[in-house]
Amino acid sequence: MSFKIAIIGAGSVGFTKKLFTDILCVPEFQDVEFALTDVSEHNLTMIKAILDRIVEANKLPTRVTATTERREAISGARYVISCVRVGGLEAYAEDIRIPLKYGIDQCVGDTICAGGILYGQRNIPVILDFCKDIREVAEPGAKFLNYANPMAMNTWAAIEYGKVDTIGLCHGVQHGAEQIAEVLGAKNKAELDYICSGINHQTWFTDLRLNGRKIGKDELIAAFEAHPVFSQQEKLRIDVLKRFGVYSTESNGHLSEYLPWYRKRPDEINKWIDMSDWIHGETGGYLRHSTETRNWFETEFQQILDSASQPIDANRRSNEHASHILEALETNRVYRGHFNVKNNGVITNLPADAIIESPGFVDRFGINMVAGITLPEACAATCISSINVQRMSVHAAVSGDLDLLKLAVLHDPLVGAISTPEEVWQMVDEMVVAQARWLPQYAHAVEGAKDRLSRAKVKTRDWKGAASRNVRSIEELRVEKAAMKQAG
């Protein structure tokens, strides 16, 4: 069978290569056309060379094109996959650095909290541009598969305002299940069955079965506490498990940002954080990791290109949802996964308009969600706090309403546990001014924000965070980038 897949943000070399090889593991998809698009022509050139090598080595009829003209890539596509980061590391650095001046310590900052909300403000106008192109030039009924964070906000905007058939995809559920399988001593991942439901990055394993045997709270706690690594790296998640009765999908560092209890006091943060790897809660950990590894594909390009000559091995197909969804839709081979869609009653105790992440089945007729799930009350309460922030953030991003944006940040659980309204108002002004070139919807408000900042009364601090190794500023990134460019 032949159809077209457009990948926006294809310059994310490693992830694009994974999606590509996963899809080609489906025998019926060997005649597919992949249209790659990115703002970086350099990255596009590299990823196209890698994918062309895979096609050549495997003697496939697959076609690969690459263009910086997004609309051209989307034209005629049946599926459009997005994995973009608007503003790159330069904007992301400000998502972490500026809130730190106001005492808000983030590990990742890409979902909610101050950083995640501003990330959404940058992404949503661009997501809506993608949707416009999909409506106008893609194959009628084309599906939009969004991998980009903030997942819930991007998907919400694409469905409510973009009017495109959109599915949000993440791998947090799979990673959490792998941890649980390991601590329970499963010989392979297939021995563990589970129901996991909630919202993206706050999804909860409400039912666990190991070889058909139900696993209770006490057994799971004991298994995690006995594990020599996870008992140290996942202290916060284990504490939440003890109090809520269910395990969360998200990493220790991620989860700590969504709750108002663990990162609000500098003297308490280190109690819950493990510094063996950034993902366990390091201040600005993902920014540091991304900065230090952002050119890995440059330094390892030849090695990646050489490895692309190897035969595609279907046994090494990843558990990323995209290829499995496409396979189910096109071949009617049923796939069960966890998808981000509008709730509409699927989870009984979350708002109907929320973007949930919950189990569903895919076949030729589309995604069929498992309805009638009720979360434990504490899980629902935690999710609803984030949903309220997401809703305001999406509406602010679409309308360019700076006051609504400030109210969204004010209502964020962690921000609200730390900052006063006056501090939030000044912090958001500072973030909007710093990121103005990526926030066209707030252009009318930038001069007013600058004026207020010139008369600012709130004192900020030079604080690197309670669990920090190094949080780099946007200026450091710019200087380094300029030096690299000059060196060729």
Side-chain angles (χ1 to χ4, degrees), residues 92 95-96 106-117 119 254 257:
Y92 180 34
D95 289 342
I96 302 300
Q106 302 166 100
C107 172
V108 184
D110 71 354
T111 302
I112 58 168
C113 208
I117 293 170
Y119 187 18
H254 248 327
E257 298 174 317

Side-chain angles (χ1 to χ4, degrees), residues 279-290:
I279 201 169
H280 307 307
E282 176 188 341
T283 303
Y286 189 53
L287 173 63
R288 181 183 64 79
H289 171 77
S290 299

Side-chain angles (χ1 to χ4, degrees), residues 134-319:
I134 292 169
R135 292 195 311 270
E136 293 178 354
V137 301
E139 183 178 295
K143 291 189 183 297
F144 182 34
L145 282 64
N146 175 59
Y147 268 107
N149 284 317
M151 172 59 62
M153 293 186 208
N154 289 345
T155 304
W156 196 321
I159 292 172
E160 182 172 332
Y161 292 101
K163 306 301 181 184
V164 167
D165 186 0
T166 304
I167 311 157
L169 301 178
C170 184
H171 42 234
V173 173
Q174 298 97 299
H175 289 175
E178 288 166 0
Q179 274 194 339
I180 293 170
E182 180 173 335
V183 302
L184 292 175
K187 295 177 183 178
N188 61 69
K189 294 178 287 187
E191 294 182 5
L192 183 71
D193 294 311
Y194 51 88
I195 293 175
C196 192
S197 190
I199 64 173
N200 183 238
H201 292 175
Q202 291 178 51
T203 326
W204 310 89
F205 290 95
T206 59
D207 196 343
L208 294 166
R209 310 289 174 104
L210 184 65
N211 293 317
R213 182 176 64 84
K214 189 173 177 65
I215 304 298
K217 167 188 171 182
D218 292 341
E219 181 177 354
L220 190 60
I221 292 170
F224 269 102
E225 290 189 325
H227 195 279
V229 177
F230 296 152
S231 60
Q232 298 305 307
Q233 293 179 340
E234 307 290 2
K235 289 175 282 190
L236 186 150
R237 288 170 89 181
I238 294 170
D239 191 66
V240 172
L241 167 61
K242 290 177 178 178
R243 299 180 193 280
F244 283 39
V246 290
Y247 196 61
S248 168
T249 53
E250 235 22 68
S251 68
N252 203 72
H254 248 327
L255 184 59
S256 69
E257 298 174 317
Y258 313 142
L259 306 172
W261 314 301
Y262 296 98
R263 295 188 80 96
K264 67 179 180 179
R265 295 181 192 161
D267 58 334
E268 280 282 309
I269 292 176
N270 284 318
K271 177 180 176 180
W272 303 107
I273 298 307
D274 180 272
M275 294 289 281
S276 63
D277 195 8
W278 69 266
I279 201 169
H280 307 307
E282 176 188 341
T283 303
Y286 189 53
L287 173 63
R288 181 183 64 79
H289 171 77
S290 299
T291 303
E292 292 174 357
T293 62
R294 69 190 181 281
N295 293 312
W296 68 268
F297 49 86
E298 298 272 6
T299 57
E300 300 176 23
F301 174 68
Q302 191 58 51
Q303 179 182 342
I304 298 169
L305 189 62
D306 292 342
S307 69
S309 298
Q310 299 173 2
I312 293 173
D313 182 359
N315 292 319
R316 301 184 66 181
R317 185 179 178 183
S318 83
N319 59 10

Side-chain angles (χ1 to χ4, degrees), residues 7-10 12 15 19 38 80-88 108-112 116 119-128 130 144-158 166-171 200-201 254 258 286 320 322 340 355 357 390 394:
I7 302 178
I8 308 174
S12 177
F15 194 63
L19 292 177
D38 198 284
V80 179
I81 303 174
S82 171
C83 39
V84 300
R85 173 179 282 281
V86 177
V108 184
D110 71 354
T111 302
I112 58 168
Y119 187 18
Q121 304 306 297
R122 299 194 301 275
N123 267 26
I124 286 171
V126 176
I127 291 286
L128 295 183
F130 298 169
F144 182 34
L145 282 64
N146 175 59
Y147 268 107
N149 284 317
M151 172 59 62
M153 293 186 208
N154 289 345
T155 304
W156 196 321
T166 304
I167 311 157
L169 301 178
C170 184
H171 42 234
N200 183 238
H201 292 175
H254 248 327
Y258 313 142
Y286 189 53
E320 294 291 348
N340 289 264
I355 300 300
E357 187 170 71
Q390 292 165 354
V394 170

